[in-house]
Amino acid sequence: MDMSVLEISGIIMSRVNAYQQGVGYQMLGNVITIGLAFFPFLYRLFREKSLDQLKSISAEEILTLFCGAPPVTPVLILSMINFFERLCLTWIFFFMMCVAERTYKQRFLFAKLFSHITSARKARKYEIPHFRLKKVENIKIWLSLRSFLKRRGPQRSVDVVVSSVFLLTLSIAFICCAQVLQGHKTFLNDAYNWEFLIWETALLLFLLRLASLGSETNKKYSNVSILLTEQINLYLKMEKKPNKKEQLTLVNNVLKLSTKLLKELDTPFRLYGLTMNPLIYNITRVVILSAVSGVISDLLGFNIRLWKIKS
């Protein structure tokens, strides 16, 4: 049957929209949000009270630890405002991260279904259209569909959020390295250093997930093995149908050009904004690796240089 690029992409988009995405990272974000909101109270509680004292702690002592001062009315109101402010702002931040994760997951599903179009078995399994690249018109539709699906969904806004979080993670890592250099034995004595470590761990978990999805998406779209398989099928068909050799040769030449085009367009997954700007990328790499080198050298007792500035 005859189908346009919009009709094929519409079927693929309907399959992706019908997919039930997990809520694991959303729950992780909620747990981290609650933990960070209660962190000042928990830090004071476990720092000032032992396990035996926790069994007989009074409500007034809990309020004192919650406020960090005697629980008079103005201090209590200010502490409650501070608590809800931390809770709401942290929840908004991790909600944006969950939206970015769902968007990257959606992009991966688009790429996954697109890579299954030329496979009859997988296309039947996922209930999507199937066609072989045995005609120039089919190759044109395949390339147009690839370009169309890569632009689906929010692009610039989500990539800017992810790159901003990446820069924030690097900044926290730099601050932690500087604190360790000042005194690694007293690093964990301060509450803000513990909070920095919690933020760094949480952000790294989300960034690893996003980097993994982005890399897998790029691999699906840049998979030239599909075109190579179609070229082999064309060579086999030329032997069976020598009368169509001229037409099949034309299709084969177009497949070769498409393969070269995909190889030219093939770039590794990059966080938007950082690696696209060479100046920011080089400054970030030098600063962060210099700080990490200083921390490792201070802990091990001998100099290690992970990055050398070349003039």
Side-chain angles (χ1 to χ4, degrees):
M1 60 184 300
D2 294 332
M3 298 184 72
S4 65
V5 173
L6 289 177
E7 290 173 335
I8 298 174
S9 62
I11 294 174
I12 293 177
M13 291 172 66
S14 65
R15 296 293 179 269
V16 172
N17 293 333
Y19 178 81
Q20 302 236 346
Q21 298 196 27
V23 294
Y25 281 87
Q26 184 178 352
M27 296 302 296
L28 176 63
N30 292 336
V31 170
I32 297 172
T33 298
I34 296 173
L36 287 171
F38 280 101
F39 174 76
F41 165 70
L42 294 175
Y43 179 81
R44 288 190 290 264
L45 178 65
F46 288 101
R47 189 173 180 82
E48 298 181 11
K49 301 291 183 180
S50 63
L51 292 177
D52 295 332
Q53 292 175 331
L54 290 177
K55 298 177 182 178
S56 58
I57 191 171
S58 63
E60 185 178 354
E61 290 177 321
I62 292 177
L63 286 177
T64 303
L65 292 172
F66 180 79
C67 299
V72 295
T73 303
V75 175
L76 187 59
I77 294 175
L78 184 62
S79 299
M80 293 297 296
I81 293 174
N82 183 33
F83 170 77
F84 284 110
E85 182 181 343
R86 287 172 63 95
L87 183 68
C88 294
L89 292 179
T90 308
W91 181 84
I92 291 172
F93 180 86
F94 282 103
F95 175 77
M96 293 171 60
M97 290 294 296
C98 291
V99 170
E101 190 270 337
R102 291 177 70 89
T103 303
Y104 272 55
K105 179 67 175 179
Q106 191 179 57
R107 293 181 190 177
F108 170 72
L109 292 175
F110 281 139
K112 180 181 178 181
L113 293 182
F114 169 76
S115 65
H116 294 340
I117 283 181
T118 55
S119 172
R121 180 179 59 83
K122 292 181 179 179
R124 189 181 302 111
K125 176 182 177 182
Y126 292 99
E127 299 180 351
I128 58 175
H130 163 68
F131 59 88
R132 305 303 296 266
L133 306 182
K134 58 184 180 181
K135 297 180 182 179
V136 176
E137 183 180 359
N138 290 4
I139 299 174
K140 178 183 176 182
I141 291 177
W142 188 81
L143 292 173
S144 300
L145 184 64
R146 177 184 182 273
S147 177
F148 184 82
L149 291 176
K150 286 189 74 172
R151 296 196 301 267
R152 291 303 88 197
Q155 299 287 326
R156 192 182 185 91
S157 57
V158 172
D159 290 341
V160 168
V161 168
V162 175
S163 62
S164 301
V165 172
F166 181 61
L167 290 173
L168 176 62
T169 306
L170 291 179
S171 302
I172 294 176
F174 177 73
I175 294 173
C176 290
C177 290
Q179 293 290 335
V180 172
L181 287 175
Q182 287 184 359
H184 61 271
K185 294 182 179 180
T186 59
F187 175 72
L188 297 177
N189 291 340
D190 299 315
Y192 58 84
N193 286 334
W194 279 99
E195 193 162 357
F196 276 142
L197 290 178
I198 296 173
W199 273 102
E200 186 74 8
T201 304
L203 294 179
L204 282 176
L205 288 175
F206 276 94
L207 284 178
L208 287 174
R209 168 68 171 172
L210 295 174
S212 175
L213 289 174
S215 299
E216 290 298 322
T217 302
N218 270 18
K219 287 180 182 178
K220 295 291 184 182
Y221 280 124
S222 304
N223 188 10
V224 295
S225 63
I226 296 174
L227 300 179
L228 295 177
T229 303
E230 294 296 332
Q231 289 183 46
I232 294 174
N233 292 333
L234 285 176
Y235 281 121
L236 296 175
K237 189 172 288 188
M238 285 180 192
E239 294 182 356
K240 293 181 180 180
K241 300 179 180 180
N243 57 326
K244 294 185 178 181
K245 186 174 182 180
E246 184 177 350
Q247 179 184 356
L248 295 175
T249 303
L250 175 61
V251 178
N252 186 52
N253 292 334
V254 176
L255 281 175
K256 289 181 180 179
L257 292 175
S258 301
T259 304
K260 291 181 180 179
L261 177 64
L262 290 186
K263 288 181 179 179
E264 288 291 330
L265 297 176
D266 184 19
T267 55
F269 170 70
R270 294 181 176 183
L271 291 171
Y272 178 83
L274 181 67
T275 52
M276 292 300 181
N277 190 326
L279 179 61
I280 298 178
Y281 172 71
N282 288 325
I283 291 175
T284 305
R285 181 166 57 171
V286 170
V287 170
I288 296 300
L289 290 182
S290 298
V292 174
S293 300
V295 171
I296 296 176
S297 300
D298 185 62
L299 293 175
L300 298 181
F302 54 88
N303 292 330
I304 294 179
R305 185 173 296 177
L306 298 179
W307 176 255
K308 183 178 181 181
I309 303 176
K310 297 181 180 179
S311 58

